[in-house]
Amino acid sequence: MNAVLPRRRSPAWTLANCLTYGRLVAVPVMVALLFWPESHTARWTALGVFVAAAITDYLDGYVARTYHQSSALGRMLDPIADKLLVSACLLMLTADHTIVGSNIWAAIVILCREVLVSGLREYLAELKVGVPVSRIAKWKTTVQLVALGFLVAGPAGETVLPGTKPIGLTLLWLAAALTLWTGWDYMRAGIKHVIDDPR
């Protein structure tokens, strides 16, 4: 009689990956809520969804490292989820005129950097060259998420904390400055591989 072996859980459904899936699901939910920018209820709900998604950004990495749940799928989806969350948020906040005028340049800098680094990472992956995340890049992500949190709260946040929007815009510019810094670091680290590639 053959012994019944316990089924191994699919690595696609580890806790770390499920947290990342949650962040992906949060993106369309947050976008839908921001279609009603004048509704304070929608704003507060969008902020709750955004904060929960931002927390999973930290938790999925922590869980993967602590409980040895790192996987190729997780490494692929994690940066995608981050970029979708930030990009969708910036686009919706620009569309509802939370980010207006010269402040749009801060959003453009952040979006362009995300595209640049993604393209650089993809190219270097073909060369089997890793691009580690620097400490400053982690600070950039933190400042960026905090800035977007204030801006998502927007007019609803002003009723609780006057100056919510100016605080968010100031932090957005700080995030843009850190974005330029880290973007240059990534370019400098990868450019020698691009130049040396004989293709």
Side-chain angles (χ1 to χ4, degrees), residues 33-174:
L33 289 166
L34 289 177
F35 268 105
W36 290 275
E38 302 304 321
S39 168
H40 286 198
T41 300
R43 283 279 190 172
W44 286 122
T45 307
L47 178 61
V49 172
F50 179 82
V51 170
I55 291 173
T56 66
D57 184 25
Y58 166 77
L59 283 181
D60 60 6
Y62 173 80
V63 169
R65 290 188 301 271
T66 303
Y67 298 100
H68 308 290
Q69 295 183 0
S70 295
S71 65
L73 179 63
R75 287 191 295 273
M76 178 190 73
L77 288 180
D78 183 60
I80 291 174
D82 294 342
K83 289 171 175 55
L84 285 176
L85 181 66
V86 170
S87 300
C89 196
L90 286 171
L91 288 172
M92 291 304 296
L93 292 171
T94 302
D96 71 14
H97 304 295
T98 300
I99 302 175
V100 294
S102 60
N103 295 307
I104 294 176
W105 283 106
I108 291 173
V109 167
I110 292 171
L111 287 173
C112 287
R113 183 266 189 192
E114 298 298 349
V115 174
L116 173 68
V117 172
S118 294
L120 181 62
R121 282 180 179 276
E122 183 178 350
Y123 177 79
L124 292 178
E126 296 178 4
L127 305 179
K128 302 296 189 290
V129 176
V131 183
V133 178
S134 66
R135 184 178 296 272
I136 297 175
K138 293 179 180 178
W139 275 107
K140 181 271 300 179
T141 300
T142 300
V143 173
Q144 190 170 269
L145 292 175
V146 173
L148 291 175
F150 274 95
L151 294 174
V152 168
E158 292 285 349
T159 63
V160 176
L161 177 65
T164 292
K165 183 176 175 181
I167 291 171
L169 291 173
T170 300
L171 290 173
L172 188 69
W173 277 106
L174 177 58

